[in-house]
Amino acid sequence: EVTVLEAAQRCTGTTRTMSLGFAWWLDGAHARVPEMARQLPRSMVIGGDLPRAYVAGREHSKVSGWRPLFEVSAGTLLGALLQVQANKAKLTILQDGVRRCHTEADIPEDSGWGGAPHGVVDVCGTVQRVVLRQGAEVPKAALESGLQASPLTSPRAGSMGPGARASRGTAQRRGRSADS
């Protein structure tokens, strides 16, 4: 989970806004980190306006039910829940404890998608600064509103909580995606 600490006024004509999701480790010590989280080659991310889901660096589908450009402001609490079973993954975005949208996709069978994923927060557009919340848990109401399994039932499931890789403190808007 992350808490939005600072959000700028919305400008007309912009579609850039934050994205949330997960990424698996990039091979190679000199792997280039792309400018936006949605471009990560081993990732599953939702964001932008109009929001879209991205899998493996490519657009997967349109997403409805969440408009971060209009609905995310200072004080908003955001979370991402990833559930993986076999080679199927479901990414759900939560805002203030309520399930807002989700996407499901097949995960490529290449070996680079193994292991634990890392939570990704792309801080851009109107969102200026966020802080990672340590020890976050999935709200029970979100699980009851359509999610089948707890993240603890799958060895490859993740949430932006204790298992997410993060630097301590806050992430501020930069030209690059922030891995939090």
Side-chain angles (χ1 to χ4, degrees), residues 8-25:
Q9 292 291 334
R10 190 171 27 94
C11 311
T12 57
T14 185
T15 61
R16 299 244 359 221
T17 188
M18 73 175 311
S19 298
L20 295 170
F22 292 86
W24 284 259
W25 189 252

Side-chain angles (χ1 to χ4, degrees), residues 14-113:
T14 185
T15 61
R16 299 244 359 221
T17 188
M18 73 175 311
S19 298
L20 295 170
F22 292 86
W24 284 259
W25 189 252
L26 295 172
D27 289 333
H30 302 290
R32 185 181 161 278
V33 176
E35 184 176 333
M36 294 178 276
R38 69 182 190 207
Q39 299 168 327
L40 288 164
R42 293 188 189 113
S43 65
M44 191 168 188
V45 177
I46 294 177
D49 194 73
L50 296 168
R52 290 175 169 38
Y54 299 88
V55 177
R58 298 176 192 248
E59 185 176 324
H60 173 53
S61 61
K62 291 181 180 179
V63 176
S64 62
W66 185 53
R67 297 280 306 270
L69 185 63
F70 297 103
E71 299 170 12
V72 173
S73 60
T76 299
L77 179 64
L78 297 167
L81 172 67
L82 178 67
Q83 296 169 294
V84 179
Q85 292 180 353
N87 287 329
K88 299 262 187 206
K90 180 176 183 176
L91 174 61
T92 303
I93 301 297
L94 302 145
Q95 182 171 330
D96 297 319
V98 177
R99 188 179 96 163
R100 299 303 306 268
C101 64
H102 74 275
T103 190
E104 296 182 29
D106 292 331
I107 291 184
E109 294 188 28
D110 106 33
S111 62
W113 289 78

